[in-house]
Amino acid sequence: MSVRPKRREGLRALLWLSPWIAGFSIFFVYPLLSTVYFSFTRYDLFTLEFVGLDNWRYLLQDERVWISAGNTLWLVVFMVPAQVIFSLGVAQLLTKVKAGAGFFRTVFYLPTLVPMVAGTVAFVFLLNPVGPVNQLLSWAGIAGPDWFGDAAWSKPSLTTLALWGCGNTMVIFLAALLDVPKHLYEAAAIDGAGAWRQFRSVTLPTISPVLMFSAVTGVIYALQYFTQAMIASRVASGATDSAGSVFTPGYPDQSLLTLPQWLFHVGFRDFSMGYACVLALLLFGTSMIFTLILLRQFRKGEEVLS
Amino acid sequence: MRFVPLAVAGLTALALTACTAGKEAPPSLGAQPKPSGSAAQALPAATIELWHGFQTDAEVKAFEDAIAGFNKKFPQITVKTTKAVQDDQITQAIRSGKAPDVAASFTTDNVALWCKTGAFQDLTAVIKQDGIDLSVLPEASRSYTEFEGKRCMMPLLADAYGMFYNKALMKGNEPPKTLSELTELTKELTVRDPDGTIKVAGFIPSFQYYENSPSHLAPMVGAKWYNEDGTSAIGSDPAWKQLLTWQKELVDWYGYANLEKFRRSLGDEWGAAHPFFKGKVAMIVDGEWRNAMIANDSKAKSLDYGTAPLPVADDKPDLYGSGFTAGTVIGVPKGAKNPQHAWELIKHLTTDTDSLVTLSNALRNVPTTKAAMESPELAADANFKTFLDIFAHPKTSTLPASVNSVFNQDALSTFLTNWEKGAVKDLDAGLKDVDKRINDKLKLSGG
């Protein structure tokens, strides 16, 4: 075979890929390189000054980076598995429902249609210390906690909100579960496998790509968690917006301060864009590391299961 | 492989040019013909763009009415307004070279950045040229509209903060003049259930309660935010310690958990269910605009209430009558197409007595000039007059402009939350730590 057709083939492939390459360069590589460059500058959107490692050094003394990183990590470690397990559980139950299956699917999916801000405000209202949920609990003789006002309860409360709105993940799991070939269950049953063994040896390996997708997207979403935490702490704190008042993010006790919120605050409230770029890179690096770890774990898991 | 260095060079060039967007030379203030003396019509006809933050129909109409007065003087200038504009939109527009001719902001937090970076044009020369006497503005208003010698903003309307009290709940008591009177009265007026739950609070001392921000309460003790060099004075000014010690004692009297439970059950500050309207709290710190909110609320308007200056530290009686002030600011952004026209509009809106009185009567904010405050046209009932007097008081203070204004307030507020719940063991060390945070951030910002 001559070299020329090969080269022509390569060029053709490049031509077809060029829209993607252009998009990748303009919307990913360029912003990423710019972010790295700006992280070495003092930049307030108007004036730019090269300051070397000053922003990176400040990172080490900025206590709130570590507080917000800790909160974000909590969400990754507790909220994501809770969401995946809950969605999978609901989807599994829905596969067993014979009568009114459509109704139940709709009911579990409906919360995802509620705008994020409205849903969060409603949750904070419901979980107010003297709100409807605590009223109901008090009738049952239980003293309800101060859900969004107590640092020990604020993140679990947000997790509850996340579980309420996990219809999207549930639908994906439902589709994957319905796609597991019936004959595999029949064969397993003939071999004497019980429900748990069937779930472990048939269901899980078959839906593992979907599980991996949910876990990876869930982790990335948790690392970028912003709106609900911001709205919940704002509404729960009763923050005001008048002259001489600023909103302190993370109420209560900075327990809801996530890394993206701190990044936003530093960049768009303090206009310390150079330092915000450092935080953006930190977030990007962490997302990459988590994703790689998850992919590797799933690959290992798949090897073990197969 | 030659592609890689080329690509890197190209991207770096792109990154650099991204920061210089909008840097082509637009006319700067003073470069265009200006009207000499009364010859206002000497300015050529133009349409100018004005961005402001007013949102409700009544606010927008009041602003349009004030502009109509300008149009009588300058019929050749058409003013196109855009409502509900936020600070970050203004900043982005200036940066991208698409700035309006005039922009107004509700907050003074970004004034330092805008002045320092030249995002808004320095008005000093045209103010001098037009012979405007800025001493008609209170010191505080001058302070929050300039930074490091650059006057890039003018005060449009101001907010002043004082005390509102519910006459029925006061049980015949006069409003307190000192902090110890406030403590005493709070204890007398607070009503609790047998289990300690608060039913009616005399005064809520929490820094987290609605308008009880540190900047609003600092004038009660004359606390200073910054030293001359812009570094934090919070740790070194004993007034902060005085304020915090008084405040903590009252929080502890309620019991932090009790007070928080009560505070968090009060709902939205801006709704009709405001605890002051509903008689759940006897005395509150609030802005003059609360008068208008009470008057416009169908249920609250029958409330029998009074207003007074903030109580002050017992050993600083000369502070009585003063308070906190800040307000709407307006200026000419860099890149304005018609800066001289823009300045004429700003001059009218911020110094013309009729215009200020029209705006104040409609919006119920404090007009900023002495002449406007003394105008017989100004609708000033006793409750509103309290705030005019607070605004005019020589010791009334503001939060001076700082490039890290939001960060600094946030750093102190975070500390205060820990303080009032009792998590701070050493107040001096805690306040010094707030100083350190603010000063470290100042260094990062090139201060």
Side-chain angles (χ1 to χ4, degrees), chain B residues 2 43 72 111 113 125 184 261 280 338 354-355 372 432 437:
Chain B
R2 250 174 290 160
L43 272 178
K72 277 189 194 152
V111 168
L113 174 83
E184 217 174 288
K261 194 177 171 197
K280 282 185 171 177
N338 303 289
D354 287 344
S355 173
K432 288 272 175 233
R437 276 163 208 253

Side-chain angles (χ1 to χ4, degrees), chain A residues 15-76:
Chain A
L15 184 72
W16 284 109
L17 283 172
S18 57
W20 182 87
I21 292 171
F24 183 73
S25 307
I26 294 167
F27 298 113
F28 183 78
V29 179
Y30 165 59
L32 183 63
L33 288 180
S34 301
T35 307
V36 173
Y37 169 73
F38 287 128
S39 74
F40 298 111
T41 66
R42 179 179 299 134
Y43 179 41
D44 54 23
L45 281 181
F46 297 102
T47 50
L48 184 80
E49 187 189 344
F50 191 80
V51 292
L53 290 171
D54 279 7
N55 292 321
W56 291 91
R57 270 192 286 267
Y58 185 76
L59 177 73
L60 301 174
Q61 66 190 84
D62 183 1
E63 193 192 38
R64 276 193 273 191
V65 166
W66 309 112
I67 293 173
S68 58
N71 290 331
T72 303
L73 195 65
W74 190 101
L75 296 174
V76 170

Side-chain angles (χ1 to χ4, degrees), chain A residues 33 37 42-45 61 63-64 128 146 149 236-237 240 242-245 248 251 253-254 270 272, chain B residues 11 16 19 95 117 208 210-211 213 215-216 260 263-264 269-270 407 410 414 421 437 440-441 444 446:
Chain A
L33 288 180
Y37 169 73
R42 179 179 299 134
Y43 179 41
D44 54 23
L45 281 181
Q61 66 190 84
E63 193 192 38
R64 276 193 273 191
N128 185 282
D146 185 357
S237 72
T240 184
S242 52
S245 300
T248 302
Y251 178 90
D253 294 347
Q254 303 188 67
D270 296 335
S272 297
Chain B
L11 287 170
L16 287 170
C19 325
R95 206 188 85 80
T117 56
Q208 300 175 68
Y210 299 162
E211 296 299 330
S213 66
S215 57
H216 296 169
E260 268 302 273
R263 183 186 76 81
R264 299 243 304 111
E269 180 188 357
W270 308 109
F407 178 91
D410 177 31
T414 304
K421 75 171 181 189
R437 276 163 208 253
D440 285 347
K441 184 66 182 16
L444 188 80

Side-chain angles (χ1 to χ4, degrees), chain A residues 6-228:
Chain A
K6 248 190 184 176
R7 180 181 282 181
R8 205 176 301 144
E9 207 172 292
L11 280 174
R12 199 178 300 144
L14 264 181
L15 184 72
W16 284 109
L17 283 172
S18 57
W20 182 87
I21 292 171
F24 183 73
S25 307
I26 294 167
F27 298 113
F28 183 78
V29 179
Y30 165 59
L32 183 63
L33 288 180
S34 301
T35 307
V36 173
Y37 169 73
F38 287 128
S39 74
F40 298 111
T41 66
R42 179 179 299 134
Y43 179 41
D44 54 23
L45 281 181
F46 297 102
T47 50
L48 184 80
E49 187 189 344
F50 191 80
V51 292
L53 290 171
D54 279 7
N55 292 321
W56 291 91
R57 270 192 286 267
Y58 185 76
L59 177 73
L60 301 174
Q61 66 190 84
D62 183 1
E63 193 192 38
R64 276 193 273 191
V65 166
W66 309 112
I67 293 173
S68 58
N71 290 331
T72 303
L73 195 65
W74 190 101
L75 296 174
V76 170
V77 173
F78 294 103
M79 193 174 82
V80 177
Q83 251 182 321
V84 170
I85 293 167
F86 183 77
S87 312
L88 183 59
V90 171
Q92 182 76 20
L93 279 177
L94 288 180
T95 57
K96 309 287 178 204
V97 174
K98 295 281 180 280
F103 170 76
F104 284 110
R105 284 174 202 181
T106 312
V107 165
F108 278 101
Y109 187 73
L110 268 180
T112 53
L113 303 178
V114 177
M116 228 181 254
V117 174
T120 313
V121 172
F123 248 70
V124 176
F125 167 74
L126 289 171
L127 298 176
N128 185 282
V130 291
V133 171
N134 278 4
Q135 290 277 351
L136 282 175
L137 288 173
S138 72
W139 290 335
I142 302 165
D146 185 357
W147 301 90
F148 281 106
D150 182 343
W153 281 93
S154 56
K155 285 190 283 283
S157 302
L158 270 189
T159 307
T160 319
L161 172 65
L163 296 185
W164 175 73
C166 67
N168 272 331
T169 322
M170 184 273 294
V171 165
I172 295 168
F173 276 130
L174 188 62
L177 290 172
L178 293 173
D179 227 22
V180 180
K182 287 261 181 337
H183 65 87
L184 292 180
Y185 288 121
E186 287 160 10
I190 291 166
D191 288 346
W196 171 244
R197 179 76 199 188
Q198 283 184 25
F199 179 75
R200 207 183 148 270
S201 303
V202 177
T203 312
L204 279 185
T206 318
I207 66 161
S208 73
V210 178
L211 262 178
M212 186 187 75
F213 170 79
S214 301
V216 172
T217 51
V219 166
I220 292 170
Y221 178 72
L223 287 170
Q224 295 174 0
Y225 202 69
F226 181 88
T227 312
Q228 294 95 323

Side-chain angles (χ1 to χ4, degrees), chain B residues 122-410:
Chain B
D122 193 350
L123 305 171
T124 312
V126 277
I127 287 171
K128 209 175 153 193
Q129 210 169 44
D130 290 355
I132 295 169
D133 177 13
L134 288 185
S135 67
V136 298
L137 302 172
E139 164 78 35
S141 294
R142 276 178 281 158
S143 152
Y144 67 67
T145 43
E146 65 181 357
F147 183 68
E148 291 178 347
K150 279 190 197 168
R151 159 157 302 283
C152 67
M153 289 285 177
M154 287 288 279
L156 179 55
L157 284 175
D159 290 322
Y161 286 75
M163 175 161 271
F164 286 71
Y165 56 93
N166 181 321
K167 286 185 180 168
L169 294 179
M170 290 291 274
K171 298 176 190 164
N173 287 293
E174 284 299 305
K177 286 190 171 169
T178 63
L179 291 182
S180 53
E181 282 176 22
L182 176 57
T183 302
E184 217 174 288
L185 209 50
T186 300
K187 291 178 181 175
E188 189 189 326
L189 303 181
T190 299
V191 182
R192 301 192 204 219
D193 281 335
D195 66 349
T197 306
I198 302 164
K199 274 175 81 175
V200 176
F203 174 79
I204 298 176
S206 168
F207 281 110
Q208 300 175 68
Y209 174 67
Y210 299 162
E211 296 299 330
N212 289 7
S213 66
S215 57
H216 296 169
L217 301 192
M220 301 203 297
V221 290
K224 239 173 50 170
W225 283 82
Y226 304 113
N227 298 312
E228 287 291 309
D229 59 359
T231 54
S232 174
I234 290 167
S236 56
D237 183 357
W240 284 108
K241 199 174 169 185
Q242 186 180 26
L243 176 69
L244 268 57
T245 312
W246 162 80
Q247 181 259 0
K248 183 74 169 73
E249 192 202 310
L250 201 49
V251 169
D252 289 346
W253 177 79
Y254 277 109
Y256 178 74
N258 264 340
L259 189 63
E260 268 302 273
K261 194 177 171 197
F262 179 68
R263 183 186 76 81
R264 299 243 304 111
S265 70
L266 297 175
D268 182 14
E269 180 188 357
W270 308 109
H274 190 289
F276 185 69
F277 297 0
K278 300 200 108 189
K280 282 185 171 177
V281 56
M283 298 172 282
I284 58 167
V285 171
D286 229 325
E288 83 294 334
W289 33 262
R290 184 65 65 190
N291 285 306
M293 291 186 79
I294 293 172
N296 294 333
D297 188 277
S298 58
K299 282 179 192 156
K301 67 179 170 192
S302 55
L303 188 72
D304 190 13
Y305 75 99
T307 57
L310 298 172
V312 298
D314 295 56
D315 59 342
K316 295 169 187 165
D318 56 322
L319 288 177
Y320 189 72
S322 69
F324 175 82
T325 185
T328 305
V329 292
I330 189 163
V332 184
K334 182 174 87 175
K337 287 175 201 71
N338 303 289
Q340 189 61 41
H341 296 70
W343 164 242
E344 291 302 331
L345 175 59
I346 290 171
K347 192 165 74 178
H348 173 83
L349 290 173
T350 60
T351 61
D352 183 274
T353 304
D354 287 344
S355 173
L356 282 167
V357 169
T358 305
L359 266 179
S360 174
N361 283 344
L363 301 174
R364 302 318 288 143
N365 290 131
V366 176
T368 37
T369 66
K370 206 166 174 250
M373 278 195 287
E374 287 168 358
S375 166
E377 301 298 315
L378 187 68
D381 58 70
N383 282 334
F384 190 67
K385 176 92 173 36
T386 304
F387 294 92
L388 294 176
D389 294 342
I390 292 171
F391 183 70
H393 194 281
K395 288 201 183 289
T396 282
S397 56
T398 187
L399 181 65
S402 162
V403 281
N404 289 318
S405 189
V406 174
F407 178 91
N408 301 347
Q409 292 172 71
D410 177 31

